[in-house]
Amino acid sequence: MEHNITHPALSALSTDALNSEQLQAFERDGVIVLPGRFSADEVESINAALVELIAENVPENIREKSSGVVRTAMGLHLRHELFRRLVNDPRLLVPARQTLGGVPIYAQQVKVNAKEPFTGEQWQWHYDFATHHHEDGVPEPLALNLHIFLDEVTEFNGPLMFIPGSHLDGPAPTSLDTTTTSFPLWTVGPDVVSSLAQRNALVCPKGPPGTMLMFGDSVVHASPPNMSPWPRRIFSLIVNPVSNRQRSHRRADHLHHRDTTPLR
Ligand code: SIN
Ligand code: MN
């Protein structure tokens, strides 16, 4: 398939749409792994661009509670040309558009979760829609979270865990947790996680840099701290249909971008 990315560091490998088996698996599980979507060279360029962005002392860089190192660098497409190109990359957008029926989508959040060696803290059990709905007034759980692994993700460096199919009963009950980490999050309690996980088990996608993940807005997920000596950086683009945009604007722009111009 043709594509129109011109940044020298982003040379498309595969823009393939999901096949019918992959579409079915995504509907069933709410999460899908797409290996080898970005090359090692591309990931190296992304990581190189990230060095100067993470060094900046700006509100878009959110720091870990206990160590002060950067947990999440946000608003990246407004801070660096490479990320501006990346949010329009067809390898991310083709499968997202496909599952949303081709409606116009905008970049709701553009970040890297850094999870530094030894200091990267956990992400509590949650699903993204709870925060999008309670904080931003997003009406429906339609947003998609598109990840690119920027380091090899292993069992050691704080990988994400998902409860596949946890979206099928509709959004689970949540409560706001402002104390566990520096990032306020609407979280799912242990009783709900236990019953969902006992029914559906857990999956923990691992893989080399360049692996892509796509998951839905009401799929329950979490990740443990990074106690290893290796980083676990993950790029995350959240896309949302323009018709499902935020109704409340109380959070800062980098947490939910106000610009709903459709991505290319
Ligand atoms: C993580 O980076 O481990 C969590 C990301 C997410 O919850 O979307
Ligand atoms: Mn999440």
Side-chain angles (χ1 to χ4, degrees), residues 111 113 123-124 126-129 132 145 147 160 162 185 215 219 221-222 238:
K111 64 182 181 291
N113 286 343
W123 288 83
Q124 313 92 302
H126 72 283
Y127 55 90
D128 299 346
F129 178 65
H132 301 163
N145 202 328
H147 280 190
L160 277 134
F162 293 87
L185 201 62
F215 59 95
V219 177
H221 57 280
I238 299 181

Side-chain angles (χ1 to χ4, degrees), residues 84-133:
R84 193 183 72 73
R85 300 276 178 182
L86 190 57
V87 300
N88 284 288
D89 194 298
R91 288 167 290 179
L92 294 168
L93 300 187
V94 165
R97 282 218 180 87
Q98 195 186 359
T99 59
L100 290 168
V103 298
I105 52 178
Y106 68 99
Q108 171 176 326
Q109 201 179 74
V110 184
K111 64 182 181 291
V112 165
N113 286 343
K115 229 181 230 193
E116 296 282 357
F118 301 112
T119 53
E121 294 176 21
Q122 65 170 292
W123 288 83
Q124 313 92 302
W125 284 108
H126 72 283
Y127 55 90
D128 299 346
F129 178 65
T131 297
H132 301 163
H133 183 65

Side-chain angles (χ1 to χ4, degrees), residues 53-63 70 72-74 79:
L53 295 171
I54 287 209
E56 288 173 359
N57 196 5
V58 291
E60 288 85 349
N61 286 349
I62 296 165
R63 292 169 190 283
V70 173
T72 302
M74 303 188 106
R79 298 168 63 189

Side-chain angles (χ1 to χ4, degrees), residues 93 96 100 105-108 142-144 146 237-241 263:
L93 300 187
L100 290 168
I105 52 178
Y106 68 99
Q108 171 176 326
L142 300 175
L144 293 169
L146 312 170
L237 163 64
I238 299 181
V239 294
N240 190 31
L263 294 165

Side-chain angles (χ1 to χ4, degrees), residues 157-238:
N157 61 356
L160 277 134
M161 301 178 284
F162 293 87
I163 309 180
S166 52
H167 60 307
L168 295 174
D169 297 336
T174 52
S175 59
L176 180 61
D177 180 349
T178 56
T179 56
T180 305
T181 68
S182 61
F183 196 88
L185 201 62
W186 286 81
T187 58
V188 179
D191 291 351
V192 176
V193 171
S194 299
S195 72
L196 286 169
Q198 267 156 28
R199 200 175 68 196
N200 301 356
L202 297 178
V203 293
C204 180
K206 288 169 258 182
T211 302
M212 179 180 158
L213 280 188
M214 178 168 85
F215 59 95
D217 218 19
S218 44
V219 177
V220 177
H221 57 280
S223 65
N226 183 4
M227 296 170 71
S228 83
W230 303 289
R232 193 236 58 181
R233 289 163 292 186
I234 290 179
F235 172 77
S236 156
L237 163 64
I238 299 181

